[in-house]
Amino acid sequence: MFFNLPSKKRQLTIISIAIVGYLIFVVSGSLLLPDIGDKTKKILTQTGLVFLYFAALLAGLPFVWSAKARHNLSLANEIIKRENILIERIIALPAEEHGTYTNQIEAAKQDIKNSKHQIELANEELPKFYEWCGAFSLALVFLGTLVCIIGAS
């Protein structure tokens, strides 16, 4: 069964609600903590900014790595195709000549194995990493914003 993915309109609605929520939170003054000293507020604000920086960094990683993953997928598929053709051509040779090409066949099989591993990384491992980055990034955005708001109050 497919997930019901949000439309652009629904995503904009969620973002708008979040913005209004934060504005209400800030304007209401419920985070004003007069007992916190200026030095502590400065440290909190700086810490929040560092959290927000790391959140942006984590959110940007999938953008950088997805292009490299697409390149690896394309290259891996080309290598698999090329090496399979090589193996087929060697096998098509007379049986007495197969022995002289044993090393080439083994190298081709190893290249195919490495390429399949790259495909597995790009299709299975990397999306899990992207999801982890996204979840951690969202947590850092929330925490960083909250700490900045407290520090700036």
Side-chain angles (χ1 to χ4, degrees), residues 15-29:
I15 291 170
S16 299
I17 291 170
I19 290 171
V20 169
Y22 265 116
L23 286 175
I24 290 171
F25 204 50
V26 172
V27 171
S28 72

PDB file of all heavy atoms in Angstrom, residues 15-29:
ATOM      1  N   ILE A  15       3.953  24.416   7.032  1.00  0.00           N
ATOM      2  CA  ILE A  15       4.996  25.411   7.277  1.00  0.00           C
ATOM      3  C   ILE A  15       4.383  26.693   7.838  1.00  0.00           C
ATOM      4  O   ILE A  15       4.915  27.292   8.778  1.00  0.00           O
ATOM      5  CB  ILE A  15       5.804  25.690   5.991  1.00  0.00           C
ATOM      6  CG1 ILE A  15       6.630  24.455   5.634  1.00  0.00           C
ATOM      7  CG2 ILE A  15       6.689  26.917   6.151  1.00  0.00           C
ATOM      8  CD1 ILE A  15       7.275  24.516   4.270  1.00  0.00           C
ATOM      9  N   SER A  16       3.257  27.105   7.292  1.00  0.00           N
ATOM     10  CA  SER A  16       2.578  28.316   7.773  1.00  0.00           C
ATOM     11  C   SER A  16       2.144  28.167   9.223  1.00  0.00           C
ATOM     12  O   SER A  16       2.302  29.094  10.031  1.00  0.00           O
ATOM     13  CB  SER A  16       1.366  28.631   6.897  1.00  0.00           C
ATOM     14  OG  SER A  16       1.769  28.870   5.578  1.00  0.00           O
ATOM     15  N   ILE A  17       1.605  27.017   9.555  1.00  0.00           N
ATOM     16  CA  ILE A  17       1.189  26.761  10.945  1.00  0.00           C
ATOM     17  C   ILE A  17       2.390  26.816  11.874  1.00  0.00           C
ATOM     18  O   ILE A  17       2.317  27.382  12.973  1.00  0.00           O
ATOM     19  CB  ILE A  17       0.441  25.408  11.050  1.00  0.00           C
ATOM     20  CG1 ILE A  17      -0.914  25.511  10.355  1.00  0.00           C
ATOM     21  CG2 ILE A  17       0.283  24.992  12.505  1.00  0.00           C
ATOM     22  CD1 ILE A  17      -1.633  24.186  10.199  1.00  0.00           C
ATOM     23  N   ALA A  18       3.511  26.252  11.447  1.00  0.00           N
ATOM     24  CA  ALA A  18       4.723  26.285  12.272  1.00  0.00           C
ATOM     25  C   ALA A  18       5.202  27.712  12.488  1.00  0.00           C
ATOM     26  O   ALA A  18       5.571  28.099  13.603  1.00  0.00           O
ATOM     27  CB  ALA A  18       5.824  25.450  11.625  1.00  0.00           C
ATOM     28  N   ILE A  19       5.173  28.516  11.434  1.00  0.00           N
ATOM     29  CA  ILE A  19       5.606  29.916  11.553  1.00  0.00           C
ATOM     30  C   ILE A  19       4.683  30.677  12.508  1.00  0.00           C
ATOM     31  O   ILE A  19       5.145  31.397  13.400  1.00  0.00           O
ATOM     32  CB  ILE A  19       5.652  30.594  10.165  1.00  0.00           C
ATOM     33  CG1 ILE A  19       6.815  30.018   9.346  1.00  0.00           C
ATOM     34  CG2 ILE A  19       5.788  32.109  10.298  1.00  0.00           C
ATOM     35  CD1 ILE A  19       6.824  30.451   7.892  1.00  0.00           C
ATOM     36  N   VAL A  20       3.375  30.517  12.326  1.00  0.00           N
ATOM     37  CA  VAL A  20       2.413  31.198  13.201  1.00  0.00           C
ATOM     38  C   VAL A  20       2.596  30.725  14.647  1.00  0.00           C
ATOM     39  O   VAL A  20       2.572  31.524  15.586  1.00  0.00           O
ATOM     40  CB  VAL A  20       0.964  30.963  12.711  1.00  0.00           C
ATOM     41  CG1 VAL A  20      -0.054  31.429  13.741  1.00  0.00           C
ATOM     42  CG2 VAL A  20       0.742  31.657  11.377  1.00  0.00           C
ATOM     43  N   GLY A  21       2.824  29.434  14.833  1.00  0.00           N
ATOM     44  CA  GLY A  21       3.045  28.895  16.178  1.00  0.00           C
ATOM     45  C   GLY A  21       4.252  29.512  16.855  1.00  0.00           C
ATOM     46  O   GLY A  21       4.190  29.917  18.024  1.00  0.00           O
ATOM     47  N   TYR A  22       5.357  29.598  16.133  1.00  0.00           N
ATOM     48  CA  TYR A  22       6.560  30.213  16.701  1.00  0.00           C
ATOM     49  C   TYR A  22       6.327  31.701  16.988  1.00  0.00           C
ATOM     50  O   TYR A  22       6.767  32.211  18.013  1.00  0.00           O
ATOM     51  CB  TYR A  22       7.767  30.052  15.775  1.00  0.00           C
ATOM     52  CG  TYR A  22       8.613  28.841  16.117  1.00  0.00           C
ATOM     53  CD1 TYR A  22       8.745  27.790  15.221  1.00  0.00           C
ATOM     54  CD2 TYR A  22       9.294  28.762  17.324  1.00  0.00           C
ATOM     55  CE1 TYR A  22       9.527  26.681  15.527  1.00  0.00           C
ATOM     56  CE2 TYR A  22      10.074  27.666  17.644  1.00  0.00           C
ATOM     57  CZ  TYR A  22      10.195  26.620  16.737  1.00  0.00           C
ATOM     58  OH  TYR A  22      10.958  25.544  17.047  1.00  0.00           O
ATOM     59  N   LEU A  23       5.633  32.391  16.078  1.00  0.00           N
ATOM     60  CA  LEU A  23       5.357  33.816  16.299  1.00  0.00           C
ATOM     61  C   LEU A  23       4.519  34.026  17.561  1.00  0.00           C
ATOM     62  O   LEU A  23       4.793  34.919  18.356  1.00  0.00           O
ATOM     63  CB  LEU A  23       4.663  34.421  15.082  1.00  0.00           C
ATOM     64  CG  LEU A  23       5.548  34.646  13.857  1.00  0.00           C
ATOM     65  CD1 LEU A  23       4.719  35.133  12.669  1.00  0.00           C
ATOM     66  CD2 LEU A  23       6.652  35.646  14.170  1.00  0.00           C
ATOM     67  N   ILE A  24       3.502  33.196  17.729  1.00  0.00           N
ATOM     68  CA  ILE A  24       2.662  33.294  18.931  1.00  0.00           C
ATOM     69  C   ILE A  24       3.501  33.022  20.174  1.00  0.00           C
ATOM     70  O   ILE A  24       3.386  33.714  21.187  1.00  0.00           O
ATOM     71  CB  ILE A  24       1.460  32.321  18.845  1.00  0.00           C
ATOM     72  CG1 ILE A  24       0.480  32.801  17.773  1.00  0.00           C
ATOM     73  CG2 ILE A  24       0.767  32.187  20.195  1.00  0.00           C
ATOM     74  CD1 ILE A  24      -0.617  31.796  17.456  1.00  0.00           C
ATOM     75  N   PHE A  25       4.369  32.039  20.065  1.00  0.00           N
ATOM     76  CA  PHE A  25       5.232  31.658  21.179  1.00  0.00           C
ATOM     77  C   PHE A  25       6.145  32.822  21.573  1.00  0.00           C
ATOM     78  O   PHE A  25       6.307  33.138  22.745  1.00  0.00           O
ATOM     79  CB  PHE A  25       6.053  30.442  20.751  1.00  0.00           C
ATOM     80  CG  PHE A  25       6.540  29.588  21.864  1.00  0.00           C
ATOM     81  CD1 PHE A  25       5.692  29.148  22.853  1.00  0.00           C
ATOM     82  CD2 PHE A  25       7.869  29.197  21.910  1.00  0.00           C
ATOM     83  CE1 PHE A  25       6.142  28.332  23.866  1.00  0.00           C
ATOM     84  CE2 PHE A  25       8.337  28.388  22.921  1.00  0.00           C
ATOM     85  CZ  PHE A  25       7.473  27.959  23.901  1.00  0.00           C
ATOM     86  N   VAL A  26       6.726  33.487  20.583  1.00  0.00           N
ATOM     87  CA  VAL A  26       7.652  34.591  20.835  1.00  0.00           C
ATOM     88  C   VAL A  26       6.909  35.834  21.323  1.00  0.00           C
ATOM     89  O   VAL A  26       7.312  36.481  22.288  1.00  0.00           O
ATOM     90  CB  VAL A  26       8.482  34.906  19.562  1.00  0.00           C
ATOM     91  CG1 VAL A  26       9.307  36.166  19.745  1.00  0.00           C
ATOM     92  CG2 VAL A  26       9.388  33.737  19.219  1.00  0.00           C
ATOM     93  N   VAL A  27       5.819  36.175  20.640  1.00  0.00           N
ATOM     94  CA  VAL A  27       5.069  37.386  20.984  1.00  0.00           C
ATOM     95  C   VAL A  27       4.431  37.272  22.364  1.00  0.00           C
ATOM     96  O   VAL A  27       4.354  38.254  23.108  1.00  0.00           O
ATOM     97  CB  VAL A  27       4.002  37.685  19.901  1.00  0.00           C
ATOM     98  CG1 VAL A  27       3.069  38.809  20.327  1.00  0.00           C
ATOM     99  CG2 VAL A  27       4.684  38.023  18.599  1.00  0.00           C
ATOM    100  N   SER A  28       3.994  36.084  22.737  1.00  0.00           N
ATOM    101  CA  SER A  28       3.340  35.914  24.037  1.00  0.00           C
ATOM    102  C   SER A  28       4.303  36.137  25.186  1.00  0.00           C
ATOM    103  O   SER A  28       3.882  36.392  26.312  1.00  0.00           O
ATOM    104  CB  SER A  28       2.708  34.527  24.139  1.00  0.00           C
ATOM    105  OG  SER A  28       3.726  33.546  24.276  1.00  0.00           O
ATOM    106  N   GLY A  29       5.598  36.055  24.904  1.00  0.00           N
ATOM    107  CA  GLY A  29       6.587  36.311  25.948  1.00  0.00           C
ATOM    108  C   GLY A  29       6.716  35.170  26.934  1.00  0.00           C
ATOM    109  O   GLY A  29       7.310  35.338  27.993  1.00  0.00           O
TER     110      GLY A  29
END
